Amino acid sequence: MIVVEQVGPLATIQDLGRPGWFDSGVGVAGAADRASFRLANRLVGNSEECAGIEVLLGGLALRADRRCTIAVTGAPAPATVDGTPVGHASVLELGAGQKLRLGMASTGLRSYVAVRGGIDVPPVLGSRSRDTLSGIGPRPLRSGAQLPIGPAPHTLPNVEFAPVANLPTAMLTIRAVLGPRADWFVDADALFDGEWVVSADTDRIGARLDRRAGPPLRRSVSRELPTEGMALGSVQVPPSGQPVVFLADHPITGGYPVIAVVVDADVDAMAQARPGQPLRFRRTR
């Protein structure tokens, strides 16, 4: 059992999501930065789909009621065990009663905590992920919550830490494929010209972008768009002309045109971009 003693801005239980429910109006959800989530599970010897904790910015404190193995990845929130600093993206052993605390990350947006055996809360529609848009899945963590741990896997962690690249603090380059509604805009290539900034209006559903300099994107088609499916990474443009990049908890349908779609490999980087982060789009095929 893991006991939650403190929660920062937000902490949710996540796994790799619940695919296969679009026909019932339910999205996939799951970890926003899938690569960091998978790494945390691999470090403790779990299969990649085991449930862990996604932590927004930091501020989480956990107490182990028995010996357990933990790893913290993603945004590099400074971590301590009983006050002693410990390494990021490393294998940590907590004894009974010991406490893991995460400070506030100086870069990036989301950290991930994996425990050997996974967080064993009851699944909903085959997943333990919290979908913040629909409200499906376990509630966001609160102080005093007790999180059961699943059976330890037979595989053992085979590294003590994983070298990971620093998250970018300067310009972030995001690759995107133009379309499917690029023809609804006066100049769709304007998305790739100049620079954008992640606004404060960003969450697990999507990241809204502001133009750093220059006008917003302008539509050439004024009629309404029939509701159509929305993919992870879709760059949707509402009437304001300020695009929104859809992330893990995005709606599965929408009525605003999608000017481009972020390539899957760059969605994780987009999920770590915090408000104020400058970025540019690079067109790819």
Side-chain angles (χ1 to χ4, degrees):
M1 187 78 70
I2 292 285
V3 179
V4 179
E5 296 207 334
Q6 180 180 328
V7 177
L10 179 69
T12 57
I13 296 172
Q14 299 292 339
D15 54 22
L16 292 178
R18 51 179 63 82
W21 293 96
F22 279 6
D23 59 350
S24 298
V26 178
V28 175
D33 177 355
R34 298 157 298 173
S36 295
F37 178 82
R38 288 185 171 108
L39 175 60
N41 269 324
R42 291 200 303 270
L43 282 170
V44 298
N46 288 343
S47 61
E48 292 183 346
E49 67 272 9
C50 283
I53 303 172
E54 182 179 276
V55 186
L56 181 64
L57 290 174
L60 181 72
L62 304 173
R63 174 170 50 84
D65 76 340
R66 60 177 174 84
R67 186 174 183 82
C68 61
T69 303
I70 283 179
V72 182
T73 61
T80 63
V81 173
D82 283 355
T84 301
V86 292
H88 182 69
S90 59
V91 179
L92 310 174
E93 297 291 341
L94 269 62
Q98 286 194 300
K99 298 178 183 180
L100 170 73
R101 291 185 179 274
L102 301 185
M104 303 304 285
S106 59
T107 60
L109 199 57
R110 297 175 171 91
S111 301
Y112 293 89
V113 179
V115 56
R116 184 170 168 80
I119 304 299
D120 196 22
V121 296
V124 178
L125 299 180
S127 170
R128 295 177 171 87
S129 284
R130 174 67 175 183
D131 184 332
T132 60
L133 179 63
S134 68
I136 292 174
R139 293 181 180 275
L141 299 187
R142 296 288 185 266
S143 298
Q146 298 183 356
L147 306 179
I149 301 172
H154 296 300
T155 56
L156 295 173
N158 55 14
V159 296
E160 293 183 354
F161 72 97
V164 293
N166 293 329
L167 294 174
T169 56
M171 185 62 62
L172 181 65
T173 299
I174 298 294
R175 295 168 294 171
V177 179
L178 196 63
R181 297 296 178 183
D183 58 343
W184 279 53
F185 294 86
V186 173
D187 180 13
D189 286 329
L191 179 72
F192 305 95
D193 296 334
E195 300 172 0
W196 300 88
V197 178
V198 179
S199 81
D201 188 11
T202 182
D203 54 22
R204 280 182 48 86
I205 297 168
R208 187 177 299 276
L209 306 179
D210 296 325
R211 176 76 81 174
R212 208 169 194 183
L217 299 172
R218 292 185 299 131
R219 285 174 53 169
S220 59
V221 177
S222 59
R223 68 179 185 273
E224 291 189 9
L225 177 70
T227 298
E228 56 188 5
M230 291 290 140
L232 179 67
S234 292
V235 184
Q236 188 188 66
V237 184
S240 67
Q242 305 293 353
V244 178
V245 182
F246 279 151
L247 300 176
D249 289 352
H250 67 88
I252 65 173
T253 61
Y256 296 134
V258 171
I259 192 172
V261 180
V262 172
V263 300
D264 189 70
D266 286 358
V267 170
D268 291 343
M270 194 69 238
Q272 288 291 3
R274 62 200 301 170
Q277 172 85 52
L279 66 86
R280 62 168 61 95
F281 289 101
R282 179 161 64 87
R283 185 173 177 176
T284 188
R285 294 185 182 276

